[in-house]
Amino acid sequence: MMYVVLVYDMEAERTQRMLKLCRRYLTHVQNSVLEGHITEGDLSKLRNSIEDLLITGESVIIYELSSETLVDRTVYGEDPAEDSRFL
Amino acid sequence: MMYVVLVYDMEAERTQRMLKLCRRYLTHVQNSVLEGHITEGDLSKLRNSIEDLLITGESVIIYELSSETLVDRTVYGEDPAEDSRFL
């Protein structure tokens, strides 16, 4: 199991499609940001689906960490993860 | 020196102000995402400025890593960091 942070930059009318895909595996924590624990197998499935979905001009960055303990996460302002829109 | 990934979610007309602030310390790598090496002192200055700038409904998440080697970063689609808009 690893910990990932995923950020996406999509055409406005296509963001919902990426969000729907990523939410199957990760938690939506901010506008175009998802996080969570994921297995190697699921991450590989997610990668393939992302590559199929992306079109020119769009991008996704995945930050992979072997464990959540390696990262200190600080939220400023409203913690979106506590905001109903994001759970 | 540590490595941080910063994501922000601002009111549309205020994003430029956050971007301008963060770009003093970090590299803009995607729509509302910046990354880079930063000293403890600069990170503390950046935190204070962020807290002064944020208003209700806006948020910033900072992911801190003691070293860039702890994270595997993979970009799908166009690598925004190579896109002139982001340098």
Side-chain angles (χ1 to χ4, degrees):
Chain A
M1 197 69 107
M2 60 187 65
Y3 195 79
V4 303
V5 176
L6 182 149
V7 295
Y8 58 80
D9 182 13
M10 307 282 292
E11 301 285 333
E13 67 285 358
R14 287 170 37 85
T15 49
Q16 283 309 313
R17 288 178 64 181
M18 181 59 81
L19 180 54
K20 203 172 156 210
L21 165 63
C22 296
R23 261 183 152 162
R24 277 192 243 146
Y25 302 95
L26 301 170
T27 301
H28 188 205
V29 295
Q30 197 188 66
N31 194 12
S32 50
V33 183
L34 298 101
E35 276 178 46
H37 291 98
I38 190 169
T39 63
E40 197 94 36
D42 279 350
L43 183 55
S44 154
K45 276 187 233 159
L46 178 55
R47 287 184 202 281
N48 294 335
S49 306
I50 285 172
E51 283 173 334
D52 292 344
L53 182 56
L54 286 177
I55 60 174
T56 308
E58 296 177 336
S59 73
V60 168
I61 306 177
I62 296 182
Y63 301 95
E64 267 177 74
L65 299 145
S66 52
S67 148
E68 188 177 7
T69 59
L70 297 175
V71 61
D72 274 332
R73 177 184 187 278
T74 315
V75 182
Y76 300 86
E78 276 177 37
D79 188 339
E82 283 157 20
D83 179 332
S84 59
R85 276 177 309 167
F86 291 109
L87 287 184
Chain B
M1 197 71 109
M2 61 187 63
Y3 196 81
V4 303
V5 176
L6 182 150
V7 295
Y8 59 79
D9 183 13
M10 308 283 290
E11 303 285 333
E13 67 284 0
R14 286 171 37 85
T15 50
Q16 281 311 312
R17 289 179 63 180
M18 181 60 80
L19 181 54
K20 204 172 155 210
L21 165 64
C22 296
R23 261 183 151 162
R24 275 191 245 149
Y25 302 95
L26 302 170
T27 303
H28 188 205
V29 294
Q30 197 189 66
N31 194 11
S32 51
V33 182
L34 298 102
E35 276 179 46
H37 291 99
I38 190 169
T39 63
E40 198 94 36
D42 280 348
L43 184 54
S44 156
K45 276 187 235 161
L46 177 55
R47 287 184 203 281
N48 294 334
S49 307
I50 285 171
E51 283 173 335
D52 292 345
L53 182 57
L54 286 177
I55 60 174
T56 308
E58 296 176 337
S59 73
V60 167
I61 305 177
I62 297 182
Y63 301 94
E64 265 177 78
L65 299 146
S66 54
S67 150
E68 187 177 7
T69 59
L70 297 176
V71 61
D72 274 334
R73 177 185 188 276
T74 315
V75 182
Y76 301 86
E78 277 178 34
D79 187 340
E82 284 157 20
D83 180 327
S84 59
R85 274 177 310 167
F86 291 109
L87 288 184

